Amino acid sequence: MTVTPITPVTPVTPVAPPAPLRIATAETPVFRGRIGRDARSGHYAVPGRYRLHLSTADPDGLRIAVVHHLLGLGDTCPVSGLPPVPDCPGGGHSALRPLYEATAHRYTGPALAPVLVDDWSGRIVSAHAPDIVRDLARHFGADRPDLFPPALDADIETVERLCADRIDAAAQRAGRAGADPEERAAAGAELLSALAALERRLAVQPYVTGDRLTAADVALWVTLVQLDTVHRHHLDAGAVHRVADHPAVWDFARRLTARPAFAAHLDLDGIARRHEAHCRGLEAAGAAVQILDWAAHAAVPYGPRVRADRP
């Protein structure tokens, strides 16, 4: 089957190589350790050595939870759930504070989720979701679904970039309160252009990169969840109707929502609570125009499979 290409707005760059732990700023911690194939990497793949700390109300946490479920890593890499709404300033979680302080001496920034932790040392390996999902799939994925086929690496990264820049970021700019009307219109046009490119693909093939489910589909599904449950509230009704007018894209979202690995982690109530707690924008007419009834399409009763450790 012929795959319709998506043209990225920016050049595709290779996946970042393993990098040492570093702190960019107090406000923006960057933990970019990687799991390697053997002991020389420092962090090598051993079942039971690593633990995830995440909230499925957060898009990065939701993405990791779905990949973790698809790979069947419940025993190999345990998960500790976090509350939907962070309980510290800056979006941090008090439960993660000891891990951050153990990892970076005199750390003063927010203790953000998600994180992959080395339980042997009690230190954070990575807080970068794209690296985490790749390492889980590549180093713990033997005899499991291949979510990152080598031949599709560039295509998967292009879709990830499109989701982050041309859908998620563009939707935020299009709904930003007080933004210049021309800026909002340009962002809205970029969002619709990205959805149109995906529509052309999904009109002729079941998944974004072809005939098989890959990590690109997980990234897109999480982005569409965020678009309909969060960003929609800040768009006008006309914009939401134009967003909804991509039947193949939303049928794709519907189909994946019916799969247990996706539905089991779709915490709609948690997403709403997180949005209400942190949103500073104004609600627009689009808030009333729900695109999908996500709960109705879920194959199992929706709610997080990963429960919060504390109320």
Coordinates of all heavy atoms in Angstrom, one line a residue, residues 48-139:
G48 N 12.8 -5.3 36.3 CA 12.6 -5.0 37.7 C 13.5 -3.9 38.2 O 13.4 -3.4 39.3
R49 N 14.5 -3.4 37.4 CA 15.4 -2.4 37.9 C 14.8 -1.0 37.9 O 15.1 -0.2 38.7 CB 16.7 -2.4 37.0 CG 17.7 -1.3 37.4 CD 19.0 -1.4 36.6 NE 19.9 -0.3 37.0 CZ 21.1 -0.1 36.5 NH1 21.6 -1.0 35.6 NH2 21.8 0.9 36.9
Y50 N 14.0 -0.7 36.9 CA 13.5 0.6 36.7 C 12.0 0.7 37.0 O 11.2 -0.3 37.0 CB 13.6 1.0 35.2 CG 15.1 0.9 34.8 CD1 15.6 -0.2 34.1 CD2 16.0 1.9 35.1 CE1 16.9 -0.3 33.7 CE2 17.3 1.8 34.7 CZ 17.8 0.7 34.0 OH 19.1 0.6 33.7
R51 N 11.6 1.9 37.4 CA 10.2 2.2 37.7 C 9.8 3.5 37.1 O 10.6 4.5 37.0 CB 10.1 2.3 39.3 CG 8.6 2.7 39.7 CD 8.6 2.7 41.3 NE 8.8 1.4 41.8 CZ 7.8 0.5 42.0 NH1 6.6 0.8 41.7 NH2 8.1 -0.7 42.5
L52 N 8.5 3.6 36.6 CA 8.0 4.8 36.1 C 7.1 5.5 37.1 O 6.4 4.8 37.9 CB 7.1 4.5 34.9 CG 7.8 4.1 33.6 CD1 6.9 3.3 32.6 CD2 8.5 5.3 32.9
H53 N 7.2 6.8 37.2 CA 6.3 7.6 38.0 C 5.6 8.6 37.0 O 6.2 9.4 36.4 CB 7.1 8.4 39.0 CG 7.8 7.6 40.0 ND1 7.3 7.3 41.3 CD2 9.0 6.9 40.0 CE1 8.1 6.5 42.0 NE2 9.1 6.3 41.2
L54 N 4.2 8.5 36.9 CA 3.5 9.2 36.0 C 2.1 9.5 36.4 O 1.5 8.8 37.2 CB 3.6 8.6 34.6 CG 3.1 7.1 34.4 CD1 1.6 7.0 34.3 CD2 3.8 6.5 33.3
S55 N 1.5 10.4 35.7 CA 0.0 10.7 35.8 C -0.6 10.6 34.4 O -0.1 11.2 33.5 CB -0.3 12.1 36.4 OG -1.6 12.4 36.2
T56 N -1.6 9.8 34.3 CA -2.2 9.6 32.9 C -3.1 10.8 32.6 O -3.6 10.9 31.4 CB -3.1 8.3 32.9 OG1 -4.0 8.3 33.9 CG2 -2.2 7.1 33.0
A57 N -3.3 11.8 33.5 CA -4.0 13.0 33.1 C -3.0 14.0 32.3 O -3.5 14.9 31.7 CB -4.5 13.7 34.4
D58 N -1.7 13.7 32.4 CA -0.7 14.5 31.7 C -0.5 13.8 30.4 O -0.3 12.6 30.3 CB 0.6 14.5 32.5 CG 1.7 15.0 31.8 OD1 1.7 16.1 31.3 OD2 2.7 14.2 31.6
P59 N -0.4 14.6 29.2 CA -0.2 13.9 27.9 C 1.0 13.0 27.8 O 1.0 12.0 27.2 CB -0.2 15.1 26.9 CG -0.1 16.3 27.7 CD -0.6 16.0 29.1
D60 N 2.1 13.5 28.4 CA 3.4 12.7 28.3 C 3.2 11.4 29.1 O 3.6 10.3 28.7 CB 4.6 13.5 28.9 CG 5.1 14.5 27.9 OD1 4.9 14.3 26.7 OD2 5.8 15.4 28.3
G61 N 2.5 11.5 30.3 CA 2.3 10.3 31.1 C 1.3 9.4 30.4 O 1.5 8.1 30.5
L62 N 0.3 9.9 29.8 CA -0.6 9.1 29.0 C 0.1 8.3 27.9 O -0.2 7.1 27.7 CB -1.8 9.9 28.5 CG -2.8 9.2 27.7 CD1 -3.5 8.1 28.5 CD2 -3.9 10.2 27.2
R63 N 0.9 9.0 27.2 CA 1.6 8.4 26.1 C 2.5 7.2 26.6 O 2.5 6.1 26.0 CB 2.5 9.4 25.4 CG 3.3 8.9 24.2 CD 4.2 10.0 23.7 NE 5.1 9.6 22.6 CZ 6.0 10.4 22.1 NH1 6.1 11.6 22.5 NH2 6.8 9.9 21.1
I64 N 3.2 7.4 27.7 CA 4.1 6.4 28.2 C 3.3 5.2 28.7 O 3.6 4.1 28.5 CB 5.0 7.0 29.4 CG1 6.0 8.0 28.8 CG2 5.7 5.8 30.1 CD1 6.7 8.8 29.8
A65 N 2.1 5.5 29.4 CA 1.3 4.5 30.0 C 0.7 3.6 28.9 O 0.7 2.3 29.0 CB 0.1 5.1 30.8
V66 N 0.3 4.1 27.7 CA -0.2 3.3 26.6 C 0.9 2.4 26.0 O 0.7 1.2 25.8 CB -0.8 4.2 25.5 CG1 -1.2 3.4 24.3 CG2 -2.1 4.9 26.1
V67 N 2.1 3.0 25.8 CA 3.2 2.2 25.3 C 3.6 1.1 26.2 O 3.8 -0.1 25.8 CB 4.4 3.1 25.0 CG1 5.7 2.3 24.7 CG2 4.1 4.0 23.8
H68 N 3.6 1.4 27.5 CA 4.0 0.4 28.5 C 2.9 -0.7 28.5 O 3.3 -1.9 28.6 CB 3.9 1.2 29.9 CG 4.3 0.3 31.1 ND1 3.3 -0.4 31.8 CD2 5.4 0.1 31.7 CE1 3.9 -1.0 32.8 NE2 5.2 -0.7 32.8
H69 N 1.7 -0.4 28.3 CA 0.6 -1.4 28.3 C 0.7 -2.2 27.0 O 0.6 -3.5 27.1 CB -0.8 -0.7 28.3 CG -1.9 -1.6 28.6 ND1 -3.0 -1.3 29.4 CD2 -2.2 -2.8 28.1 CE1 -3.9 -2.2 29.4 NE2 -3.4 -3.2 28.6
L70 N 0.9 -1.6 25.9 CA 1.1 -2.3 24.6 C 2.2 -3.3 24.7 O 2.1 -4.4 24.1 CB 1.3 -1.3 23.4 CG 0.1 -0.5 23.0 CD1 0.5 0.6 22.1 CD2 -1.0 -1.4 22.3
L71 N 3.3 -3.0 25.3 CA 4.5 -3.8 25.4 C 4.3 -4.9 26.5 O 5.2 -5.8 26.6 CB 5.7 -3.0 25.7 CG 6.1 -2.0 24.6 CD1 7.2 -1.1 25.0 CD2 6.5 -2.8 23.3
G72 N 3.3 -4.8 27.4 CA 3.1 -5.7 28.4 C 4.2 -5.7 29.5 O 4.7 -6.8 29.9
L73 N 4.6 -4.5 29.9 CA 5.7 -4.4 30.8 C 5.4 -4.2 32.3 O 6.2 -3.7 33.1 CB 6.6 -3.2 30.4 CG 7.2 -3.3 29.0 CD1 8.0 -2.0 28.7 CD2 8.0 -4.5 28.8
G74 N 4.2 -4.6 32.7 CA 3.7 -4.4 34.0 C 4.7 -5.0 35.1 O 4.9 -4.4 36.1
D75 N 5.2 -6.2 34.8 CA 6.1 -6.8 35.8 C 7.6 -6.4 35.5 O 8.4 -6.3 36.5 CB 6.0 -8.3 35.7 CG 4.7 -8.8 36.2 OD1 4.1 -8.2 37.1 OD2 4.2 -9.9 35.7
T76 N 7.9 -6.1 34.3 CA 9.3 -5.7 33.9 C 9.7 -4.4 34.4 O 10.8 -4.2 34.9 CB 9.4 -5.8 32.4 OG1 9.1 -7.1 32.0 CG2 10.8 -5.5 32.0
C77 N 8.7 -3.4 34.3 CA 9.0 -2.0 34.7 C 7.8 -1.5 35.4 O 6.8 -1.0 34.8 CB 9.3 -1.2 33.5 SG 9.7 0.6 33.9
P78 N 7.7 -1.6 36.8 CA 6.5 -1.2 37.5 C 6.2 0.3 37.3 O 7.1 1.1 37.0 CB 6.8 -1.6 39.0 CG 8.0 -2.6 38.9 CD 8.7 -2.2 37.6
V79 N 5.0 0.6 37.6 CA 4.5 2.0 37.5 C 3.9 2.5 38.8 O 3.1 1.8 39.4 CB 3.5 2.2 36.4 CG1 3.0 3.6 36.3 CG2 4.0 1.7 35.0
S80 N 4.3 3.7 39.2 CA 3.7 4.3 40.4 C 2.9 5.5 39.8 O 3.4 6.4 39.1 CB 4.7 4.8 41.4 OG 5.4 3.7 42.0
G81 N 1.6 5.5 40.1 CA 0.7 6.6 39.6 C 0.8 7.8 40.5 O 1.0 7.7 41.7
L82 N 0.6 9.0 39.9 CA 0.6 10.2 40.6 C -0.8 10.9 40.4 O -1.5 10.6 39.5 CB 1.7 11.2 40.0 CG 3.1 10.7 40.1 CD1 4.1 11.5 39.3 CD2 3.5 10.8 41.6
P83 N -1.1 11.8 41.3 CA -2.4 12.4 41.2 C -2.6 13.3 39.9 O -1.5 13.7 39.4 CB -2.5 13.4 42.4 CG -1.5 12.8 43.4 CD -0.4 12.2 42.5
P84 N -3.8 13.4 39.4 CA -3.9 14.2 38.2 C -3.4 15.7 38.3 O -2.9 16.2 37.4 CB -5.4 14.2 37.9 CG -5.9 13.0 38.7 CD -5.0 12.9 39.9
V85 N -3.6 16.3 39.5 CA -3.3 17.7 39.7 C -2.0 17.7 40.5 O -2.0 17.3 41.7 CB -4.4 18.4 40.3 CG1 -4.0 19.9 40.5 CG2 -5.7 18.3 39.5
P86 N -0.9 18.3 40.0 CA 0.3 18.4 40.8 C 0.1 19.2 42.1 O -0.7 20.1 42.1 CB 1.3 19.1 39.8 CG 0.8 18.8 38.5 CD -0.7 18.7 38.6
D87 N 0.8 18.8 43.1 CA 0.5 19.5 44.4 C 1.6 20.5 44.8 O 1.6 20.9 46.0 CB 0.3 18.4 45.5 CG 1.5 17.5 45.7 OD1 2.4 17.6 44.8 OD2 1.6 16.7 46.6
C88 N 2.5 20.8 43.9 CA 3.5 21.8 44.2 C 3.6 22.9 43.2 O 3.1 22.7 42.1 CB 4.9 21.1 44.3 SG 5.1 19.9 45.6
P89 N 4.1 24.0 43.6 CA 4.2 25.1 42.6 C 5.1 24.7 41.4 O 6.0 23.9 41.5 CB 4.9 26.2 43.4 CG 4.6 25.9 44.8 CD 4.6 24.4 44.9
G90 N 4.7 25.3 40.2 CA 5.5 25.0 39.0 C 5.1 23.7 38.4 O 5.8 23.2 37.5
G91 N 4.0 23.0 38.9 CA 3.6 21.8 38.3 C 4.3 20.6 38.8 O 4.3 19.5 38.2
G92 N 5.0 20.7 40.0 CA 5.7 19.6 40.5 C 4.9 18.7 41.5 O 3.8 19.1 41.9
H93 N 5.5 17.5 41.8 CA 4.8 16.6 42.7 C 5.7 16.4 43.9 O 6.9 16.1 43.8 CB 4.6 15.2 42.0 CG 3.6 15.3 40.9 ND1 2.3 15.0 41.1 CD2 3.8 15.5 39.5 CE1 1.6 15.1 39.9 NE2 2.5 15.4 39.0
S94 N 5.2 16.5 45.1 CA 5.9 16.4 46.3 C 6.5 14.9 46.4 O 7.6 14.7 47.0 CB 5.1 16.7 47.5 OG 3.9 15.9 47.6
A95 N 5.7 14.0 45.9 CA 6.2 12.6 45.9 C 7.5 12.3 45.2 O 8.2 11.4 45.5 CB 5.1 11.7 45.4
L96 N 7.8 13.2 44.2 CA 9.0 13.0 43.4 C 10.2 13.8 43.9 O 11.3 13.7 43.5 CB 8.7 13.5 41.9 CG 7.6 12.7 41.2 CD1 7.5 13.2 39.8 CD2 7.9 11.2 41.2
R97 N 9.9 14.7 44.9 CA 11.0 15.6 45.4 C 12.2 14.8 45.9 O 13.3 15.2 45.5 CB 10.4 16.5 46.5 CG 11.4 17.3 47.3 CD 12.2 18.3 46.4 NE 11.3 19.2 45.6 CZ 11.7 20.0 44.7 NH1 13.0 20.2 44.6 NH2 10.9 20.7 44.0
P98 N 12.0 13.8 46.7 CA 13.2 13.0 47.1 C 14.0 12.5 46.0 O 15.3 12.4 46.0 CB 12.7 11.9 48.0 CG 11.3 12.4 48.4 CD 10.8 13.2 47.3
L99 N 13.4 12.0 44.9 CA 14.1 11.5 43.7 C 14.9 12.6 43.0 O 16.1 12.3 42.6 CB 13.1 10.9 42.7 CG 12.3 9.7 43.3 CD1 11.2 9.3 42.3 CD2 13.3 8.5 43.6
Y100 N 14.3 13.7 42.9 CA 15.0 14.9 42.2 C 16.2 15.3 43.1 O 17.3 15.5 42.5 CB 14.1 16.0 42.0 CG 13.3 16.0 40.7 CD1 12.2 15.2 40.5 CD2 13.7 16.7 39.6 CE1 11.5 15.1 39.3 CE2 13.1 16.7 38.4 CZ 12.0 15.9 38.3 OH 11.3 15.8 37.1
E101 N 16.0 15.4 44.4 CA 17.1 15.8 45.2 C 18.2 14.8 45.3 O 19.4 15.1 45.5 CB 16.6 16.1 46.6 CG 15.7 17.4 46.6 CD 15.1 17.7 48.0 OE1 15.1 16.8 48.9 OE2 14.5 18.8 48.1
A102 N 17.9 13.5 45.2 CA 18.9 12.4 45.2 C 19.7 12.4 43.9 O 20.8 12.0 43.8 CB 18.2 11.1 45.4
T103 N 19.0 12.9 42.8 CA 19.7 12.9 41.5 C 20.5 14.1 41.2 O 21.6 14.0 40.6 CB 18.6 12.8 40.4 OG1 17.7 11.7 40.7 CG2 19.2 12.6 39.0
A104 N 20.1 15.3 41.7 CA 20.8 16.5 41.5 C 21.0 17.2 42.8 O 20.1 17.6 43.5 CB 20.0 17.4 40.5
H105 N 22.3 17.4 43.2 CA 22.6 18.0 44.5 C 22.1 19.4 44.6 O 22.2 20.2 43.7 CB 24.1 18.0 44.7 CG 24.6 18.6 46.0 ND1 24.1 18.1 47.2 CD2 25.4 19.6 46.3 CE1 24.7 18.7 48.2 NE2 25.5 19.7 47.7
R106 N 21.4 19.7 45.7 CA 20.8 21.0 45.9 C 19.8 21.5 44.8 O 19.7 22.6 44.5 CB 21.9 22.1 46.1 CG 22.8 21.9 47.3 CD 23.8 23.0 47.4 NE 24.7 22.8 48.6 CZ 25.7 23.6 48.9 NH1 26.0 24.6 48.1 NH2 26.4 23.3 49.9
Y107 N 19.1 20.5 44.3 CA 18.1 20.8 43.3 C 17.0 21.7 43.8 O 16.4 21.4 44.9 CB 17.5 19.5 42.7 CG 16.5 19.7 41.6 CD1 16.9 20.0 40.3 CD2 15.1 19.6 41.9 CE1 15.9 20.2 39.4 CE2 14.2 19.8 41.0 CZ 14.6 20.1 39.7 OH 13.6 20.4 38.7
T108 N 16.6 22.7 43.1 CA 15.6 23.7 43.6 C 14.4 23.8 42.6 O 13.5 24.6 42.9 CB 16.2 25.1 43.9 OG1 16.8 25.6 42.6 CG2 17.2 25.0 45.0
G109 N 14.5 23.2 41.4 CA 13.4 23.3 40.5 C 12.2 22.4 40.8 O 12.2 21.8 41.8
P110 N 11.2 22.5 40.0 CA 10.0 21.7 40.2 C 10.3 20.2 40.0 O 11.0 19.8 39.1 CB 9.0 22.2 39.2 CG 9.8 22.8 38.1 CD 11.1 23.3 38.7
A111 N 9.6 19.3 40.8 CA 9.8 17.9 40.6 C 8.7 17.4 39.7 O 7.6 17.0 40.0 CB 9.6 17.2 42.0
L112 N 9.0 17.5 38.4 CA 8.0 17.2 37.3 C 7.9 15.7 37.0 O 8.9 15.0 37.1 CB 8.4 18.0 36.1 CG 8.6 19.5 36.2 CD1 9.1 20.1 34.9 CD2 7.2 20.2 36.6
A113 N 6.7 15.4 36.5 CA 6.5 14.0 36.0 C 6.3 14.1 34.5 O 5.9 15.2 34.0 CB 5.2 13.4 36.7
P114 N 6.5 13.0 33.8 CA 6.8 11.7 34.2 C 8.3 11.6 34.4 O 9.1 12.3 33.8 CB 6.3 10.8 33.1 CG 6.5 11.7 31.8 CD 6.2 13.1 32.3
V115 N 8.7 10.5 35.1 CA 10.1 10.2 35.3 C 10.3 8.7 35.2 O 9.5 7.9 35.7 CB 10.8 10.7 36.6 CG1 10.8 12.3 36.6 CG2 10.0 10.3 37.8
L116 N 11.5 8.3 34.7 CA 11.9 6.9 34.7 C 13.0 6.8 35.8 O 14.0 7.6 35.7 CB 12.4 6.4 33.4 CG 13.0 5.0 33.3 CD1 11.9 4.0 33.5 CD2 13.7 4.8 32.0
V117 N 12.9 6.0 36.8 CA 13.8 6.0 37.9 C 14.5 4.6 38.0 O 14.0 3.6 37.7 CB 13.1 6.2 39.2 CG1 14.0 6.1 40.4 CG2 12.4 7.6 39.2
D118 N 15.8 4.7 38.3 CA 16.6 3.5 38.6 C 16.4 3.1 40.0 O 17.0 3.8 40.9 CB 18.1 3.8 38.2 CG 19.0 2.6 38.5 OD1 18.5 1.6 39.0 OD2 20.2 2.7 38.2
D119 N 15.7 2.1 40.3 CA 15.4 1.7 41.7 C 16.6 1.2 42.4 O 16.7 1.2 43.7 CB 14.3 0.6 41.8 CG 12.9 1.2 41.8 OD1 12.8 2.5 41.9 OD2 11.9 0.5 41.7
W120 N 17.7 0.8 41.7 CA 18.9 0.3 42.3 C 19.6 1.5 43.0 O 20.2 1.3 44.1 CB 19.8 -0.3 41.3 CG 19.4 -1.6 40.8 CD1 18.2 -2.3 41.1 CD2 20.1 -2.5 39.9 NE1 18.1 -3.5 40.5 CE2 19.2 -3.6 39.7 CE3 21.3 -2.4 39.3 CZ2 19.6 -4.7 38.9 CZ3 21.7 -3.4 38.4 CH2 20.9 -4.6 38.2
S121 N 19.6 2.7 42.4 CA 20.3 3.8 42.9 C 19.4 4.9 43.5 O 19.8 5.7 44.3 CB 21.1 4.5 41.8 OG 20.3 5.1 40.8
G122 N 18.1 4.8 43.2 CA 17.1 5.8 43.7 C 17.2 7.1 43.0 O 16.7 8.1 43.5
R123 N 17.8 7.1 41.8 CA 18.0 8.3 41.0 C 17.2 8.3 39.7 O 16.9 7.2 39.2 CB 19.5 8.5 40.7 CG 20.3 8.8 42.0 CD 21.7 9.1 41.7 NE 22.5 9.3 42.9 CZ 23.8 9.7 42.9 NH1 24.4 9.8 41.8 NH2 24.4 9.9 44.0
I124 N 16.9 9.4 39.2 CA 16.2 9.6 37.9 C 17.1 9.3 36.8 O 18.2 9.8 36.7 CB 15.6 11.0 37.8 CG1 14.5 11.2 38.9 CG2 15.0 11.2 36.4 CD1 14.1 12.7 39.0
V125 N 16.6 8.5 35.8 CA 17.3 8.2 34.6 C 16.9 9.3 33.6 O 17.8 9.9 32.9 CB 17.0 6.8 34.0 CG1 17.7 6.6 32.7 CG2 17.5 5.7 35.0
S126 N 15.6 9.5 33.4 CA 15.1 10.4 32.4 C 13.8 11.0 32.8 O 13.0 10.3 33.4 CB 15.0 9.6 31.0 OG 14.5 10.5 30.0
A127 N 13.6 12.2 32.3 CA 12.3 12.9 32.5 C 11.8 13.3 31.1 O 11.0 14.2 31.0 CB 12.4 14.1 33.4
H128 N 12.4 12.7 30.1 CA 12.1 13.1 28.7 C 11.2 12.0 28.0 O 11.7 10.9 27.7 CB 13.4 13.3 27.9 CG 13.2 13.8 26.5 ND1 12.7 15.1 26.3 CD2 13.4 13.3 25.3 CE1 12.6 15.3 25.0 NE2 13.1 14.2 24.4
A129 N 9.9 12.2 27.8 CA 9.0 11.2 27.4 C 9.4 10.5 26.1 O 9.3 9.3 26.0 CB 7.6 11.7 27.3
P130 N 9.8 11.2 25.0 CA 10.2 10.5 23.8 C 11.3 9.5 24.0 O 11.3 8.4 23.4 CB 10.6 11.7 22.9 CG 9.8 12.8 23.4 CD 9.8 12.7 24.9
D131 N 12.3 9.9 24.8 CA 13.4 8.9 25.1 C 12.9 7.7 25.9 O 13.3 6.6 25.6 CB 14.5 9.6 25.9 CG 15.3 10.6 25.1 OD1 15.1 10.7 23.8 OD2 16.1 11.4 25.7
I132 N 12.0 8.0 26.9 CA 11.5 6.9 27.7 C 10.8 5.9 26.9 O 11.0 4.7 27.0 CB 10.6 7.5 28.8 CG1 11.5 8.3 29.8 CG2 9.9 6.3 29.6 CD1 10.6 9.0 30.9
V133 N 9.9 6.3 26.0 CA 9.1 5.3 25.2 C 10.0 4.6 24.3 O 9.8 3.4 24.1 CB 7.9 6.0 24.5 CG1 6.9 6.6 25.4 CG2 8.4 7.1 23.5
R134 N 11.0 5.2 23.7 CA 11.9 4.5 22.8 C 12.7 3.5 23.6 O 12.9 2.3 23.1 CB 12.9 5.5 22.1 CG 12.2 6.2 20.9 CD 13.1 7.3 20.4 NE 12.6 7.8 19.1 CZ 11.5 8.6 19.0 NH1 11.0 9.1 20.0 NH2 11.1 8.9 17.8
D135 N 13.2 3.8 24.8 CA 14.0 2.9 25.5 C 13.2 1.7 26.0 O 13.7 0.5 26.0 CB 14.7 3.6 26.7 CG 15.9 4.5 26.2 OD1 16.2 4.4 25.1 OD2 16.4 5.2 27.1
L136 N 12.0 1.9 26.4 CA 11.1 0.8 26.8 C 10.9 -0.1 25.7 O 11.0 -1.3 25.8 CB 9.8 1.4 27.3 CG 9.7 2.1 28.6 CD1 8.3 2.6 28.9 CD2 10.2 1.3 29.8
A137 N 10.6 0.4 24.5 CA 10.3 -0.4 23.3 C 11.5 -1.1 22.8 O 11.4 -2.3 22.4 CB 9.7 0.5 22.2
R138 N 12.6 -0.5 22.8 CA 13.8 -1.1 22.2 C 14.6 -2.0 23.1 O 15.2 -2.9 22.6 CB 14.7 0.1 21.7 CG 14.2 0.8 20.5 CD 14.9 2.0 20.1 NE 14.5 2.6 18.8 CZ 14.7 3.8 18.4 NH1 15.4 4.6 19.2 NH2 14.2 4.3 17.3
H139 N 14.5 -1.8 24.4 CA 15.4 -2.6 25.2 C 14.6 -3.6 26.1 O 15.2 -4.4 26.8 CB 16.3 -1.7 26.1 CG 17.1 -0.8 25.3 ND1 18.0 -1.3 24.3 CD2 17.3 0.5 25.3 CE1 18.6 -0.3 23.7 NE2 18.2 0.8 24.3

